[in-house]
Amino acid sequence: MERENIIENLEKELINVKNKNDLANLKATYLGKSGIVTNLSLKMKEIPNEEKREYGKFLNEIKELVTKKFDDLLKEIDKRELEEKLNREKIDITLPSRRKMKGSIHPMTRVVEELEDLFVSMGYDVVNGPEIDTDLNCFTKLNLPAGHPARDSQDTFYLDDDYLLRPHTSPAQVRTMEANEEKTPLRIVCPGKVYRRDDDATHSHQFMQFEGLVVGEDISLADLKGTLELFAKKLLGEKTNVRFRPSYFPFTEPSCEVDVTCFKCGGKGCSLCKQTGWIEVLGAGVVHPNVLKMSGYDPEKYTGFAFGPGIDRFAMFKYGITDIRQIYTNDIRFLEQFDRKDVE
Ligand code: PHE
């Protein structure tokens, strides 16, 4: 086929092209594997040598021309389609855009982060433990053997005879000591969820504790006192006073219950503190020698202290939350309030 014929035919065929699909099909019949132009190139080997140069020139020209015709038409189709689309779609630029949902940091996360910062600044490591732990770690190795009456006060959710949802973060003490094989000093905090069979406005079946453990040589109750005083003042304000009352935990000896100046009335007495001026925030004590021994530490050489506040209370106080269960029900209307600057 002569060059003119090819172009003439192509032009005729191009008139019938309506869309990109037609264009692609037609392009294949010219430039595809066995297309007209491709076949012409294959003929090169039949052309006598002295005409090859001329034939090559002809081939290049035809390829260029055909390609250009296809490209031009493609541009035209694109333009036409865009115009059609713009005519079809009437865009109302005055419509408000879709609201972007902005996440906020959960009040509990804020309290945990604040406490972690404080303890990390005092040289503690932050560790995590599993929420499902063994009876051995949760009780036995904390000096609460099977049948011990103090197990009742932490009545919890058993999964089978050995595994349970941890009722406190204290198994972190056992896990840390066992992982460190008598290395000291140990200074850790372990924030995390704990579970007990409780459910009312101030008790949830799931809540947060923040375990602390220090083990080393010559660690005493005085160190515990200083640490907790600093902790209370930093978290709740410099004016906060701390009171230690004797108490009992099987894993500490001596043990104490720690109260802080009521965050609502500042100590004058109100409904929150039941007119006492004090709020109980945590249990603590000097680590019992049996606990050290069971996790591989020599109690003749080492001593330590431990504490375990429930920290939901701090979030409730800081952010004015009246029902602890709101912390865990993931209601967006509740959560989005904590994005406000006035709760920072
Ligand atoms: N684990 C105790 C509880 O949940 C709190 C505690 C921790 C007491 C560490 C003493 C030492 O009640």
Side-chain angles (χ1 to χ4, degrees):
M1 222 188 293
E2 278 310 315
R3 176 188 142 137
E4 276 67 33
N5 283 344
I6 295 176
I7 300 301
E8 223 170 86
N9 273 351
L10 175 60
E11 274 170 352
K12 269 189 220 147
E13 285 173 307
L14 283 173
I15 295 172
N16 296 325
V17 169
K18 300 239 156 24
N19 51 39
K20 282 188 190 165
N21 204 16
D22 294 349
L23 187 77
N25 289 337
L26 187 60
K27 199 170 170 181
T29 62
Y30 278 82
L31 298 168
K33 248 191 183 166
S34 46
I36 297 167
V37 178
T38 320
N39 285 342
L40 282 178
S41 320
L42 295 176
K43 273 202 195 120
M44 177 66 111
K45 40 184 182 319
E46 297 159 20
I47 305 289
N49 271 351
E50 59 277 16
E51 285 170 34
K52 271 202 161 68
R53 213 183 124 99
E54 192 59 26
Y55 191 74
K57 212 172 135 210
F58 157 74
L59 268 181
N60 282 342
E61 271 174 20
I62 201 106
K63 245 188 234 162
E64 239 169 67
L65 252 167
V66 170
T67 312
K68 189 171 177 320
K69 295 245 173 242
F70 280 115
D71 288 351
D72 287 352
L73 190 60
L74 183 66
K75 271 188 212 141
E76 229 182 280
I77 293 177
D78 274 341
K79 210 173 127 202
R80 206 164 58 215
E81 284 185 355
L82 182 67
E83 270 164 15
E84 276 167 13
K85 197 171 165 212
L86 288 177
N87 281 335
R88 210 170 41 236
E89 287 175 10
K90 295 268 175 284
I91 297 170
D92 180 355
I93 55 163
T94 64
L95 268 181
S97 61
R98 217 174 281 160
R99 202 177 126 222
K100 265 203 191 133
M101 293 286 281
K102 200 164 138 230
S104 57
I105 298 178
H106 193 284
M108 273 327 295
T109 310
R110 288 171 194 238
V111 169
V112 169
E113 284 177 356
E114 195 178 328
L115 286 174
E116 281 177 358
D117 282 351
L118 171 65
F119 280 94
V120 166
S121 78
M122 295 197 281
Y124 285 66
D125 289 327
V126 178
V127 304
N128 283 304
E131 286 170 33
I132 295 174
D133 211 331
T134 57
D135 184 277
L136 199 65
N137 288 342
C138 292
F139 294 127
T140 311
K141 290 204 167 175
L142 287 167
N143 208 25
L144 275 129
H148 194 291
R151 283 186 174 215
D152 283 354
S153 66
Q154 299 199 337
D155 204 2
T156 186
F157 304 98
Y158 274 83
L159 306 174
D160 61 22
D161 286 347
D162 293 325
Y163 286 93
L164 58 143
L165 295 182
R166 65 177 175 194
H168 53 177
T169 42
S170 300
Q173 296 184 29
V174 175
R175 287 176 168 276
T176 308
M177 285 192 278
E178 295 196 337
N180 285 280
E181 293 176 350
E182 242 183 285
K183 245 193 245 146
T184 54
L186 277 188
R187 276 188 296 250
I188 57 113
V189 285
C190 172
K193 295 189 201 96
V194 298
Y195 303 85
R196 292 188 198 172
R197 262 181 45 194
D198 276 332
D199 189 26
D200 63 40
T202 52
H203 294 91
S204 153
H205 67 278
Q206 173 193 318
F207 60 102
M208 286 288 273
Q209 282 193 335
F210 192 87
E211 193 81 10
L213 172 73
V214 174
V215 179
E217 284 174 54
D218 301 324
I219 304 287
S220 73
L221 190 65
D223 298 310
L224 170 67
K225 229 180 143 207
T227 306
L228 292 180
E229 264 168 9
L230 190 78
F231 160 87
K233 285 186 196 297
K234 283 273 187 248
L235 189 72
L236 303 168
E238 287 301 319
K239 286 206 196 101
T240 308
N241 281 323
V242 180
R243 176 171 88 167
F244 292 75
R245 283 181 292 113
S247 185
Y248 172 75
F249 295 102
F251 31 94
T252 45
E253 181 64 39
S255 302
C256 55
E257 213 75 65
V258 179
D259 302 336
V260 295
T261 320
C262 174
F263 2 95
K264 198 168 167 201
C265 63
K268 286 190 213 80
C270 68
S271 58
L272 182 68
C273 59
K274 301 196 182 80
Q275 311 305 329
T276 62
W278 296 97
I279 302 236
E280 184 191 311
V281 286
L282 61 90
V286 171
V287 181
H288 196 291
N290 286 351
V291 174
L292 291 171
K293 213 186 307 170
M294 276 187 275
S295 290
Y297 278 72
D298 178 0
E300 297 296 329
K301 202 164 154 203
Y302 302 115
T303 47
F305 66 76
F307 54 90
I311 55 174
D312 303 75
R313 280 233 179 113
F314 298 133
M316 289 173 81
F317 154 65
K318 285 190 112 151
Y319 302 116
I321 301 164
T322 49
D323 189 330
I324 187 173
R325 290 168 294 196
Q326 285 178 316
I327 296 179
Y328 297 105
T329 40
N330 282 340
D331 186 331
I332 300 259
R333 290 165 304 177
F334 167 76
L335 293 173
E336 62 190 3
Q337 298 172 48
F338 300 99
D339 196 30
R340 296 189 332 231
K341 280 284 162 295
D342 56 6
V343 295
E344 283 297 346

